Amino acid sequence: MDRPHLPTTESAVAAIREVAREFSLEMVVTDDIGADQTSRRISTGAFAVLDPDGSLPHEAFVELGGTPAVTVQVFPEDDAKITVDGVDFEDVPRDSVPAFLRAVHGGLAYVKGRFLPPGWWLIVPLPGDETYRELVLRGTLSPWMSGKVR
């Protein structure tokens, strides 16, 4: 499945807003604009104020209401960090964020446990054979995750 290209932080936030609307989720956005405001800048040189295209770097932090607790930090470098009930998914491509959120809120995400090595994994499958998996580090599952165990 082709994903729409989300070239800017603003377009990513608009796509997240559409997913929030689909699932009737409240959404709070905090924007950080400018080299002195963004949390990381790896695409430009030291002391650079503008991005290579001449724009100011823009980062957004999005909190979605509902269960599970989900936050999305969209970075200027075309990626995002998505946190689902305390489990961090780093380096998710910006274009994959809407599909990731639809998988989580649409019931496709699940938890799988293993005896050796012991642990629980939160698995988020996306269309097109793309799957994200992260270890649940806290050792205990949230109520939402407990309901997703396979």
Side-chain angles (χ1 to χ4, degrees):
M1 180 175 125
D2 287 334
R3 287 195 185 89
H5 178 59
L6 303 173
T8 65
T9 299
E10 292 90 355
S11 61
V13 171
I16 295 168
R17 193 176 308 283
E18 182 58 36
V19 173
R21 216 178 342 264
E22 281 178 41
F23 292 97
S24 301
L25 303 170
E26 291 184 23
M27 180 173 148
V28 176
V29 180
T30 304
D31 292 294
D32 293 318
I33 300 173
D36 61 335
Q37 299 296 313
T38 57
S39 65
R40 65 175 185 169
R41 301 236 10 245
I42 57 176
S43 63
T44 60
F47 307 111
V49 174
L50 301 176
D51 283 343
D53 65 357
S55 66
L56 287 171
H58 179 192
E59 180 176 300
F61 183 78
V62 180
E63 295 177 85
L64 295 173
T67 302
V70 177
T71 62
V72 181
Q73 190 170 6
V74 182
F75 299 106
E77 289 87 11
D78 293 335
D79 69 324
K81 176 177 124 180
I82 302 174
T83 304
V84 179
D85 269 358
V87 178
D88 292 336
F89 291 84
E90 304 274 351
D91 303 320
V92 176
R94 186 176 5 212
D95 294 347
S96 297
V97 170
F100 188 104
L101 296 175
R102 283 186 181 96
V104 168
H105 290 288
L108 296 177
Y110 62 95
V111 173
K112 191 165 192 135
R114 293 180 47 170
F115 289 112
L116 294 172
W120 295 100
W121 292 85
L122 178 54
I123 301 167
V124 183
L126 276 55
D129 294 332
E130 187 176 355
T131 301
Y132 292 89
R133 59 179 24 231
E134 287 295 331
L135 183 64
V136 180
L137 292 177
R138 293 183 281 162
T140 58
L141 301 177
S142 70
W144 178 82
M145 283 189 243
S146 293
K148 300 294 180 184
V149 172
R150 285 190 186 172

